Amino acid sequence: MNQRHDHFPEGADFNASLRNRYRVATIWQTIFLSALLIAIIALTALLYNVVDGAFGFIAYEYKDDPAEFTSTPVNELTKDELLVILKENLSSGAYNKLENEQPMQERSQADLLTLFLERLVRIDTKGTWSMTDSLLRGDEIRVEVAEKYPDAILEFRSWLTPQFLTTPMSSKAEFAGVRTAILGSLWMVGLAILFALPIGTGAAIYLQEYAPKGWLTSIIQTNINNLAGVPSIVYGMLGLAVFVRTLEAFTSGSMFGVTDSNGRTVLSAGLTMGILVLPLIIINAQEAIKAVPDSLRQAAYGVGATRWQTIWHHVLPNALPGILTGSILAISRALGETAPLIVVGASTFISIDPDGPFSKFTALPIQIYQWTTRAQSEFHAIAASAIIVLLILLLTLNATAILLRNRYQRKY
Amino acid sequence: MKEEVLNIKATETQSFRQFDLKKKTRIGESVIQALLFFAGILSVLTTVAIVYELGKEAMLFFGNPDVTFAKFFGETKWQPGIGQYGIWALVSATLTTSAIAISISLPLGLAAAIYLSEYASPKARGILKPVLEILAGIPTVVYGYFALLFVTPILQNIFGDNIQVYNMLSAGLVMGIMILPLISSMSEDALSAVPRSLREAAYAMGATKLESSLQVVLPAALSGIGAALILGISRAVGETMIVAVASGAGPNFSFNPLEAAETMTGHIARISGGDLSYNSIDYTSLFAIALMLFLVTLVLNLISQYIVNRFRERYE
Amino acid sequence: MQNTRTYAIESNDLSIHYGTFTAVRGVNLKIERQKITAIIGPSGCGKSTLLRSFNRMNDFVPGCYATGELLLQGQNLYSKDIDPVEVRRKIGMVFQKPNPFPKSIYENIAWGARINGFKGKMDDLVEQSLRSAALWEEVKDKLQESAYALSGGQQQRLCIARTIAIQPEIILMDEPASALDPISTLRIEELMQELKKNYTILIVTHNMQQAARASDYTAMMMIDDQRAGGVIEFDETKSIFTRPKDKRTEDYVTGRFG
């Protein structure tokens, strides 16, 4: 009996060693938890950084004094006054061009004011500050600006405005918007899903319901899993070689009589993105189909259904919420992808809305990339605003996916 | 049995009715099956197309009498337009940023996975998991913005003039944050796949939770964690936007994280974003780089998948 | 009796294999029309496998195939030119666990008829089928409600109604009452007695009393030394339970085995 206990600590010794072990355990637990805290801090910092950039002081001067055009203070100009001023002071060529894009009468007061500030008085930005700086060092900034640019107007500005969503690109950050980019993103994602959802679902049905166990099936499956891990820029290169170049006649629309474009169209981008999200859709749809219980298939076969009748009437309807959830996730992936779009040639400056699959296009992430890499800080401010727009879009999509999943979770 | 049982008409005679069980040709069924098969095989065609298209252009690049494998793999200056073909100028940056990213994301991701799988209460999990999922869902160009306009200024405060505005450290660090959710979720899967009985065996011998987690569960999950690591590396090598924004524009053979240097992906993005004439050496050289990227990530992904499959079998 | 036409279905040396493993070997059964035939035997002896081979449900098990003959009206169900979908249309099946479609009660019955090209009045067919399954009174006011709202026993009768609706020749039942309470079980057994006026029923059961109570014929299955199941005795149920010829059957039915 005693011998058995000889080499083990007993009583107080044991308690002391146990306490020590617990202490070590607590330390490690804290370390494990802190990894997650770092993740939370990183996420917070990222979101803070974006919001911080989208609001803040801007100091600007007018190249031409507004008083030269009107006696009314800029903030109080009415739509009618603006119309008159623009008509009188813009060259007739420039005015007609604007009129052609959208009749001046139909434009809002805010739009006209933008034109006034952009074309006539011509704002010249001297500096911008982040939200934190603006709030904490407001007085310092005021002094600094007054010293350096005595004529400058300093105001707190939200770069993210309703107008930011509805105005097209502009070479001046103050007047730029993401309308063209949002429309381009929507066209691109729409085409991608139109292509990838039916094919992806079809592939998943084939693999789950038809494919015999064998080398071909296992090659297809392995291949799909691998495609999901191929860097997105490689898909861009594939799109460049296949859609932009080889199939140019199709993607530029020249075989349909469209003459004014090359292969760098929203169709090429959509197809490229469709191929990119295809594995994602297949894998998700496979999971959804797998979750449909076999008893349901047997019940259908038991009353003399063919394979397709069973799939169409029972398997697909029950797998549909899962398939849709997967597609929404694929959509949000496609919305955020940037690299393939750069490669297939998204236009970096374009102010005409895409109006069909053969249009040139830009996309939200492309604009974010462009603006982030500009040196002037006002472009960083609109990059931040565009990021907020993109993140809200993605958040909405993902929330929809989660709701869909919870709403239709079936108990068999 | 109170209910009246109605006889379905003609059943009596039906029993002796002759019927035909011969195969019917169901054209619809066959057409549908063919279409579905085509959808399934399309993914294989995608891979074939990738290999073919990248290979075709890369062949044109290597077919240039001026380009030799010795130069490509042996030199450290990359400027195909003027006859410099040393891929190391780009590989060095890819290696450096990936190494930084992994050295951040592996320990953090692993620690997070251990906490989530072994320690966290369901309630804590419910709060912590979504944080990682949100991190995983943020577009990489947004990470690029974060790297250039948040992390870089902080690094400049720390290193002063020693660090360049565009630098590999900032890109690598942020890439580490980006990969963290991937590593933690795969590692968590690996940890939770370890059977309960193994943990219970450890507890029954008087082990603390930590001892059971680190000395029993973790080793049992090691291959799954290895798979996560490999997939993480593959993701880092293929990541484009963070490095395109924050790491610098221009090939630079350097392993110094404080310097600017362009990765393989960053180079492809920058050059293809500009005006590029087809059939030029610049154009074909991009495909050579892309082919290399594809092959490297393909091998990494295959290894990772192989490990995961073998690991799964062991506990099923 | 000697005329094949009086048999509903008969098997000649039917064997079922999974890859290289033979699960059921050499079964010769002649199933009488409009009678209930029970298949009994200890678990794992291949009862369900045999039953499922009768309407080619085993086709869906990878690697599973049958050898020998299974004759329905002189046509071998396993010959190459036979359409399994047609087979299942003629030989319906009720499964161990109730498996209604996640649709309305009405749809559960109408669907099978519709895909099989039924052109009559659907409402009448649904009512007839539900009446035949002794379920009509309980569900007539809630035909559009989900079938999942029914109790387990009701669900199983709905599955029977669904099978009747396509007017098969034979109904296969795979332990149809094993997931039900005793009262529901009794109702299913009563229902079987009504159904046999019009249908041939083949039922697998674990429950010895059920086989003795409800069936006209009984096939006793047992595995041999190579773990393949086979029918060791097939006779009228009375004989099987009162004077079994095989010692193993006697042991089993008297509870000395399994």
Side-chain angles (χ1 to χ4, degrees):
Chain A
M1 234 353 225
N2 280 336
Q3 208 176 3
R4 216 178 77 189
H5 289 213
D6 262 349
H7 302 287
F8 286 107
E10 277 298 331
D13 284 350
F14 180 76
N15 284 339
S17 100
L18 190 60
R19 260 199 308 282
N20 191 36
R21 283 162 66 196
Y22 275 130
R23 198 165 47 239
V24 173
T26 316
I27 293 169
W28 274 97
Q29 187 174 349
T30 318
I31 292 174
F32 296 148
L33 182 59
S34 55
L36 281 154
L37 293 180
I38 290 175
I40 293 176
I41 291 168
L43 179 62
T44 316
L46 188 147
L47 296 177
Y48 159 77
N49 177 226
V50 170
V51 173
D52 194 39
F55 306 91
F57 277 137
I58 172 171
Y60 59 91
E61 288 174 357
Y62 294 128
K63 281 191 174 157
D64 294 307
D65 191 349
E68 289 171 20
F69 303 98
T70 171
S71 53
T72 323
V74 172
N75 295 334
E76 291 165 23
L77 282 167
T78 64
K79 184 175 171 182
D80 293 332
E81 281 175 290
L82 283 163
L83 276 172
V84 174
I85 298 170
L86 287 166
K87 180 95 186 159
E88 279 173 3
N89 294 288
L90 281 172
S91 72
S92 62
Y95 189 87
N96 287 338
K97 194 170 171 236
L98 288 168
E99 181 79 29
N100 276 340
E101 281 171 19
Q102 193 189 355
M104 298 299 262
Q105 281 292 349
E106 290 172 17
R107 300 187 184 217
S108 67
Q109 190 265 349
D111 281 353
L112 294 173
L113 185 64
T114 303
L115 280 174
F116 173 61
L117 294 173
E118 185 181 1
R119 300 296 184 92
L120 297 178
V121 297
R122 289 181 295 156
I123 278 184
D124 184 21
T125 301
K126 294 296 179 192
T128 64
W129 288 265
S130 70
M131 186 174 68
T132 315
D133 277 354
S134 306
L135 294 179
L136 299 182
R137 301 179 32 237
D139 293 334
E140 273 174 64
I141 293 171
R142 260 179 260 278
V143 171
E144 188 189 324
V145 169
E147 242 170 53
K148 273 198 201 155
Y149 317 104
D151 296 334
I153 301 164
L154 184 72
E155 59 179 37
F156 191 88
R157 171 170 177 156
S158 161
W159 293 88
L160 183 64
T161 58
Q163 245 184 308
F164 182 70
L165 298 177
T166 54
T167 29
M169 265 303 277
S170 162
S171 54
K172 303 225 61 168
E174 298 84 341
F175 305 111
V178 285
R179 174 202 174 94
T180 326
I182 290 178
L183 289 173
S185 279
L186 293 181
W187 266 102
M188 183 271 294
V189 168
L191 290 168
I193 284 299
L194 214 61
F195 168 78
L197 183 57
I199 292 184
T201 310
I205 294 173
Y206 175 75
L207 286 169
Q208 292 306 122
E209 304 285 328
Y210 286 91
K213 270 208 168 107
W215 60 273
L216 183 62
T217 307
S218 88
I219 282 184
I220 296 179
Q221 190 69 61
T222 309
N223 180 60
I224 288 170
N225 294 345
N226 264 310
L227 280 180
V230 170
S232 59
I233 197 158
V234 171
Y235 283 100
M237 298 300 278
L238 177 71
L240 175 63
V242 175
F243 299 126
V244 177
R245 278 194 74 184
T246 312
L247 300 178
E248 183 167 8
F250 170 66
T251 53
S252 69
S254 64
M255 62 190 268
F256 307 105
V258 180
T259 49
D260 60 338
S261 75
N262 55 22
R264 299 178 181 269
T265 57
V266 72
L267 180 60
S268 292
L271 290 173
T272 306
M273 211 55 100
I275 296 228
L276 188 150
V277 297
L278 196 57
L280 203 67
I281 291 187
I282 297 177
I283 292 170
N284 274 305
Q286 276 187 285
E287 290 301 321
I289 291 171
K290 230 184 267 178
V292 176
D294 247 357
S295 65
L296 215 59
R297 292 183 185 87
Q298 297 194 345
Y301 290 132
V303 293
T306 62
R307 206 182 269 259
W308 179 245
Q309 282 167 334
T310 305
I311 294 168
W312 183 249
H313 292 278
H314 297 292
V315 177
L316 271 186
N318 287 291
L320 201 60
I323 294 174
L324 288 183
T325 309
S327 332
I328 294 178
L329 296 179
I331 289 176
S332 43
R333 167 87 190 272
L335 269 180
E337 274 296 346
T338 322
L341 297 183
I342 297 176
V343 178
V344 297
S347 312
T348 49
F349 188 91
I350 182 173
S351 57
I352 308 162
D353 292 347
D355 58 357
F358 309 120
S359 311
K360 286 188 179 354
F361 75 106
T362 184
L364 262 181
I366 290 287
Q367 288 310 321
I368 294 170
Y369 171 54
Q370 281 299 318
W371 289 335
T372 303
T373 48
R374 295 286 285 264
Q376 304 94 322
S377 63
E378 60 264 33
F379 281 100
H380 299 163
I382 54 175
S385 309
I387 289 176
I388 294 178
V389 174
L390 180 62
L391 289 183
I392 288 177
L393 215 60
L394 294 181
L395 203 67
T396 317
L397 278 171
N398 287 320
T400 315
I402 291 169
L403 282 181
L404 198 70
R405 193 165 54 196
N406 294 344
R407 167 90 174 68
Y408 286 100
Q409 238 162 22
R410 276 183 189 279
K411 309 165 276 284
Y412 291 102
Chain B
M1 195 91 122
K2 286 195 191 101
E3 285 171 51
E4 180 198 4
V5 177
L6 287 189
N7 291 352
I8 290 167
K9 255 180 248 160
T11 314
E12 293 295 340
T13 49
Q14 176 200 331
S15 299
F16 296 93
R17 193 183 59 194
Q18 197 66 35
F19 45 77
D20 179 21
L21 297 173
K22 289 271 184 317
K23 268 206 173 107
K24 314 281 178 294
T25 40
R26 295 186 166 88
I27 295 176
E29 292 273 328
S30 317
V31 170
I32 286 168
Q33 184 166 357
L35 285 175
L36 294 174
F37 175 74
F38 174 73
I41 208 79
L42 190 79
S43 64
V44 178
L45 292 182
T46 306
T47 306
V48 173
I50 290 177
V51 173
Y52 172 76
E53 290 292 346
L54 299 191
K56 189 180 70 179
E57 300 290 343
M59 288 296 277
L60 284 177
F61 173 73
F62 287 112
N64 186 318
D66 204 23
V67 182
T68 61
F69 278 107
K71 282 185 184 168
F72 189 72
F73 291 111
E75 293 184 358
T76 57
K77 281 206 163 34
W78 176 265
Q79 192 96 51
I82 56 165
Q84 295 175 329
Y85 308 109
I87 191 72
W88 278 103
L90 301 170
V91 171
S92 65
T94 296
L95 289 178
T96 310
T97 50
S98 301
I100 297 169
I102 290 300
S103 62
I104 292 289
S105 58
L106 181 63
L108 286 183
L110 194 50
I114 295 176
Y115 189 84
L116 286 172
S117 111
E118 308 294 311
Y119 288 91
S121 65
K123 207 174 153 192
R125 263 184 69 93
I127 299 167
L128 295 171
K129 264 306 253 192
V131 171
L132 293 175
E133 279 162 9
I134 292 174
L135 272 181
I138 288 177
T140 55
V141 69
V142 178
Y143 279 110
Y145 175 95
F146 179 62
L148 184 65
L149 298 175
F150 187 87
V151 177
T152 298
I154 291 178
L155 294 177
Q156 282 174 315
N157 274 337
I158 299 172
F159 294 100
D161 289 340
N162 295 326
I163 194 164
Q164 298 175 355
V165 177
Y166 297 102
N167 61 77
M168 294 188 271
L169 181 57
S170 168
L173 289 175
V174 173
M175 211 146 86
I177 299 291
M178 183 205 88
I179 296 169
L180 191 156
L182 172 84
I183 298 214
S184 89
S185 88
M186 273 185 80
S187 304
E188 200 199 330
D189 286 347
L191 290 169
S192 20
V194 175
R196 246 181 96 83
S197 59
L198 223 58
R199 291 183 178 81
E200 283 170 350
Y203 289 141
M205 295 177 70
T208 62
K209 193 162 210 169
L210 176 79
E211 287 155 351
S212 138
S213 303
L214 281 191
Q215 295 170 29
V216 176
V217 180
L218 192 65
L222 216 52
S223 55
I225 292 163
L229 169 67
I230 291 169
L231 204 62
I233 296 175
S234 155
R235 184 69 66 82
V237 168
E239 168 48 33
T240 309
M241 290 322 293
I242 298 176
V243 288
V245 171
S247 163
N252 172 20
F253 178 70
S254 163
F255 294 97
N256 181 353
L258 303 183
E259 280 182 30
E262 195 167 52
T263 66
M264 299 198 285
T265 53
H267 183 74
I268 296 178
R270 181 171 63 89
I271 300 298
S272 66
D275 265 333
L276 194 60
S277 59
Y278 301 145
N279 303 325
S280 66
I281 186 99
D282 278 325
Y283 181 81
T284 53
S285 71
L286 293 189
F287 284 86
I289 303 171
L291 183 64
M292 240 183 96
L293 257 181
F294 175 74
L295 293 178
V296 168
T297 51
L298 179 76
V299 169
L300 289 174
N301 294 346
L302 279 174
I303 296 174
S304 171
Q305 224 182 309
Y306 173 76
I307 296 177
V308 168
N309 287 343
R310 263 197 38 188
F311 183 69
R312 197 176 288 151
E313 277 160 22
R314 183 158 8 128
Y315 287 119
E316 258 171 17
Chain C
M1 272 295 275
Q2 273 66 42
N3 183 355
T4 26
R5 280 184 62 99
T6 62
Y7 293 117
I9 191 166
E10 55 178 298
S11 70
N12 289 330
D13 199 25
L14 180 68
S15 300
I16 300 146
H17 319 266
Y18 295 110
T20 54
F21 172 67
T22 301
V24 174
R25 198 195 312 273
V27 172
N28 293 296
L29 287 178
K30 293 182 180 2
I31 307 295
E32 291 281 345
R33 282 181 190 286
Q34 289 163 349
K35 292 282 188 290
I36 298 174
T37 303
I39 302 175
I40 61 170
S43 30
C45 70
K47 303 186 292 288
S48 284
T49 305
L50 178 64
L51 188 79
R52 283 161 165 268
S53 73
F54 273 55
N55 70 342
R56 296 193 51 175
M57 232 33 202
N58 283 338
D59 287 14
F60 299 108
V61 181
C64 183
Y65 66 96
T67 52
E69 278 186 328
L70 183 63
L71 297 173
L72 183 67
Q73 287 195 349
Q75 307 179 66
N76 180 9
L77 299 190
Y78 279 97
S79 87
K80 284 238 180 301
D81 58 347
I82 292 292
D83 195 327
V85 172
E86 291 295 321
V87 171
R88 289 180 211 118
R89 154 123 186 47
K90 291 294 170 200
I91 305 177
M93 185 155 202
V94 176
F95 298 84
Q96 192 169 358
K97 275 194 191 136
N99 57 351
F101 301 123
K103 296 177 185 257
S104 69
I105 292 169
Y106 185 96
E107 256 322 285
N108 258 280
I109 293 172
W111 187 76
R114 198 180 299 127
I115 58 159
N116 284 304
F118 177 71
K119 291 197 184 64
K121 274 198 76 182
M122 192 60 84
D123 290 358
D124 294 347
L125 179 74
V126 170
E127 180 176 344
Q128 280 176 355
S129 309
L130 284 169
R131 279 188 192 281
S132 307
L135 192 60
W136 174 251
E137 291 301 326
E138 292 158 64
V139 301
K140 65 181 176 191
D141 298 324
K142 46 180 183 180
L143 290 176
Q144 295 310 324
E145 282 176 32
S146 166
Y148 280 26
L150 298 175
S151 74
Q154 288 173 324
Q155 286 188 7
Q156 195 61 303
R157 274 179 284 144
L158 179 65
C159 291
I160 293 174
R162 174 176 77 188
T163 307
I164 298 170
I166 57 167
Q167 300 178 7
E169 298 291 312
I170 301 167
I171 300 176
L172 308 176
M173 295 186 169
D174 188 0
E175 302 191 39
S178 67
L180 305 180
D181 59 85
I183 309 259
S184 304
T185 303
L186 212 59
R187 298 210 65 175
I188 300 273
E189 283 176 23
E190 287 169 357
L191 179 55
M192 280 162 48
Q193 298 308 320
E194 289 299 325
L195 290 175
K196 81 170 185 185
K197 292 173 186 163
N198 295 311
Y199 301 97
T200 307
I201 295 176
L202 207 58
I203 177 174
V204 160
T205 178
H206 237 99
N207 180 332
M208 223 58 57
Q209 285 81 10
Q210 190 171 53
R213 264 197 314 262
S215 70
D216 305 304
Y217 291 87
T218 296
M220 171 69 199
M221 288 185 73
M222 194 71 94
I223 51 170
D224 62 18
D225 47 7
Q226 283 154 317
R227 305 203 52 77
V231 173
I232 55 167
E233 194 168 351
F234 176 46
D235 208 337
E236 286 189 36
T237 300
K238 259 182 292 171
S239 323
I240 293 271
F241 280 89
T242 52
R243 39 180 202 291
K245 298 189 188 69
D246 194 296
K247 179 79 172 71
R248 290 169 295 176
T249 310
E250 187 182 348
D251 287 352
Y252 185 73
V253 298
T254 53
R256 257 174 273 163
F257 177 96

